[in-house]
Amino acid sequence: MSQQYPLKEVKGDAVCFVPGSPLFSVLMEPASFCYPRLTFLRSPYGQFGASAASSQDLAPWPQRLVTQRWTRPVDESPPAAMSRNGYFFEESGYLKCDMDDGCETKEETGGEELFDAVNNTVVSGDSIRFFVNVNLEVPLNAADENESAGCVLLHTSRKYLKLKNFEEEVRAHRDLDGFLARASIILDETATSLDDVLREMLKHFAEDPENMEPSCNFEKIMSTLFTDSGTPREGNVHLLSDTIQGVTATVTGVQYQQSWLCIICTIKSLQRRHVCISRLERPQNWGENSCEVRFVILVLAPPKMKSTKTATEVGRTFATMFSDITFRQKLLETKTEEEFKEALVHQRHLLTVVNQRPSISDGHKSHGSKPLKLHEFLNVGKGISDDIARRFPVYALDFTDGIIGNNKAIGKYITTMIFLYFACLLPSIAFGSLNDENTGGVIDVQKTIVGQCIGGLLYALFSGQPLVVLLTTAPLALYINVIRGICDDYNLDFSAFYAWIGLWNSFFLVMYSLFNFSLLMKLFKRSTEEIIALFISITFVLDAFKGIIKVFKKYYYSGRTGDSYLEKAPTDAIPSLGINTTFLMNSSVSRSMSLENQTGTHDVHYGRETAVLSLMLMLGTLWLGHTLYQFKKSPYLHARVREILSDCALPISVLTFSAVGSYIFKEIEMSKFNYNPSESLFVLAPVQSLSIGSVMSAMGLGFLLSMLFFIEQNIVASLTNAPENRLVKGTAYHWDLLLVALINTGLSVFGLPWIHAAFPHSPMHVRALAYVEERVESGHIYETIVSVKETRLTSLVANFLVGLSLLLLPFPLQWIPKPVLYGLFLYIALTSIDGNQLFERVALLLKEQTAYPPTHYIRRVPQRKIHYFTGLQVLQLLILCGFGMSPLPYMKMIFPLIMIGMIPIRYNLLPRIIEAKYLDAMDAEH
């Protein structure tokens, strides 16, 4: 006879009911591969089996613990007296055990009645528990013939599925529309067994001309629906492979909705998805938690489907509708298929209305839903005072967190300091060298390092958000180049004109901070910020390629190509030029000899070898840095070692390939940055030497520069304070903007390069101080920040070390070849696109739909709208790049205005093309 045996599971424990045996509780230890000690519990009815009279019947049990054989090695003996078909249930499934031939099998049969009446309340509501029917009649002789035939492994997925949000998830409506277009509805099914009902549903598929599947074997589908797929035989577990059932968590446990059952299955031979709903004529009892089934929903789908179109997602749509008891009662009253469909449509409408709520239009700012008012800007200094009041109480904690207390993070601080030191020093060298070329040595590497040290230290000490990193950046280098060109055209003193532009810039920044202009950042949506962030990443890539192209033009395509070029040149080409080849060869030899005399012992090659080696150094720096950065995701070495290697990826790659270029291949000349020691680093600019007209023209340039500072500073601070970073000490947009203005005032009058918040260095700083977890959703791995150590110490020490690096000039810092710096730029650009939704959505255009990740915008926005929005963002990015990277110097000056112009585009133009609710969904965090 077939009998049900309920499973009672308690959180942390696995409880098994054994036919004709006492009730055992096996106390499980997490992540243990052995069975721990056993504890015997009395039956809820006070006795074990029909003949047991008291708890004294437990006495003989310990002597029988050693007679049972299990299928896995154990440290302690498992419970005895389990019949051959006993099951041991774990969190992820259950394990079927067999016994020694000599084990006692004599048990009271009256105990079977006991287990029918055991209460099936699940004490813990943490997981959905499914209960199965098990055929326990296995002939002993059959088991003796094949000892392993009685053991099977079964994995059952027990996870919660969220109810589908019909207001936000567009797929819910499309699933229902697709079903209504090809409705497969069976009313008043008379079959009583589950197998017969499913056969009738599949037969309905086969007979429906609209749902025909030419290459589909419905008998094979029928067998696939059950766990004993293809091998049904007596003694095997025969239960549904994949189901969805409604549950409600209560104080006493979990209550199941037993009147409906959703069965889902993935079939390779199917060409499209199929849904069939069957209403039974009478309630059927199909086992534990399915005692009065009236509705069966069968969902079949092919495996290669988009993540929002899988069988599970379709099943979730209909399961959400059937979870409403009022809706199920209404379906019972319908007489025809048309009434059934109308009830489905009405239920969809109700679910859409119930779930409607204000959408989160701005995920970055907690105050993003409030409209801006004029009086907020007229309340002078309120933003600054609020920032100070918010941050000052936790100022001391910025120095002690991670150093004092239980949660120390000294190791993480050290690796972050090393990373930040190189991340600040190397761009200072690169942009200092660029400024040296553009200004004729007025602003050089030495001054850039000094400005970085002073500005970085002041900001680390007094800023409201010390995780933001200040640097001189590529747009500032472009501005300095334009200013130098203006000075050359109008015969102006560069130092004085530069100082006045910087002073006007600081003046406007002070005004912005006093009148709370940072509130305007509410208008910058996530999509706009990501366009600007991706623009900055592109500038790093272009700077790297411009540098390597210069190297190739100088060493590969110039006339100084060495002997190898002459040897490979066509023999008939040289005489045609009227050139004496002997003279060329001799001059080449003499040049090589002169170089040998200059260097002492080695020939210095500076032809095509230099260009090729430069390319290898640049790409090698990128490869090693990115490989180490991703090393934390690999299974190699210890987790802490992987984390250290990942945090130190940048310095390791730079030092490695600097040694390769300057030591291993020292006979090949490499391009290095210029170093001209300054006589005095702190010389006041002659600001009084300019005329009034020149000072007023500097005001216009200073205003444009202030727009760049305002946008860059606030957007980088917004990306640093993004909700996914889980920072807890608060923001200080207004105060930090004022502090940047004051710092750049001093830098301007002494002729040092300007600095502002740098992307992607600031988010990378946060990432280096973060504790990260990996989570898997629908086969896609996501990294989630759990917490971040908010400290000032890393910025303080890193910028102090940058100042000490003046002692390393010119050597050994000049041993860092320029191609390594170009590789650094590529590394920064590549790592900065992690988490950039614009880049992810561009990548969707190159992926098949089955590889789409189950992100919030994939669920909430139609695919076509996503691609429209991505295309419009790319168009804005191209326009921004056209102005910011234009060869015309004056066009570069106005590209901050293009950034401001993106605000009306987002609010006025895009809603005319794409619905506002879809725009808000793509701008939301999750």
Side-chain angles (χ1 to χ4, degrees), residues 773-830:
E773 281 185 356
E774 285 189 350
R775 297 177 182 175
V776 180
E777 181 180 352
S778 299
H780 295 267
I781 300 177
Y782 297 91
E783 286 190 346
T784 302
I785 293 179
V786 179
S787 64
V788 177
K789 290 294 182 181
E790 302 179 49
T791 180
R792 299 177 185 270
L793 297 179
T794 52
S795 294
L796 276 173
V797 174
N799 285 285
F800 178 73
L801 293 177
V802 169
L804 291 182
S805 299
L806 289 172
L807 303 177
L808 305 178
L809 288 174
F811 298 103
L813 286 183
Q814 210 170 20
W815 288 346
I816 302 177
K818 277 189 176 181
V820 173
L821 300 179
Y822 303 151
L824 164 70
F825 288 168
L826 293 179
Y827 168 82
I828 290 175
L830 185 60

Side-chain angles (χ1 to χ4, degrees), residues 456-475:
L457 286 174
L458 292 175
Y459 192 83
L461 281 173
F462 302 111
S463 66
Q465 180 50 272
L467 298 183
V468 172
V469 178
L470 297 191
L471 282 175
T472 185
T473 60

Side-chain angles (χ1 to χ4, degrees), residues 425-436:
L425 175 64
L426 298 180
S428 298
I429 293 175
F431 292 120
S433 177
L434 182 60
N435 290 331
D436 190 10

Side-chain angles (χ1 to χ4, degrees), residues 274-306:
H274 299 274
V275 180
C276 181
I277 300 177
S278 178
R279 187 183 70 185
L280 307 183
E281 186 179 26
R282 294 181 180 84
Q284 300 298 327
N285 183 355
W286 288 338
E288 201 67 46
N289 304 307
S290 299
C291 296
E292 50 180 18
V293 178
R294 288 298 303 270
F295 298 96
V296 179
I297 308 150
L298 177 61
V299 179
L300 305 176
K304 288 289 185 178
M305 296 296 292
K306 187 179 175 182

Side-chain angles (χ1 to χ4, degrees), residues 167-168 354-361 369 860 920:
E167 194 272 331
E168 290 185 348
V354 168
N355 288 325
Q356 280 184 348
R357 62 180 185 274
S359 60
I360 302 174
S361 60
S369 59
R860 300 178 186 177
D920 292 339

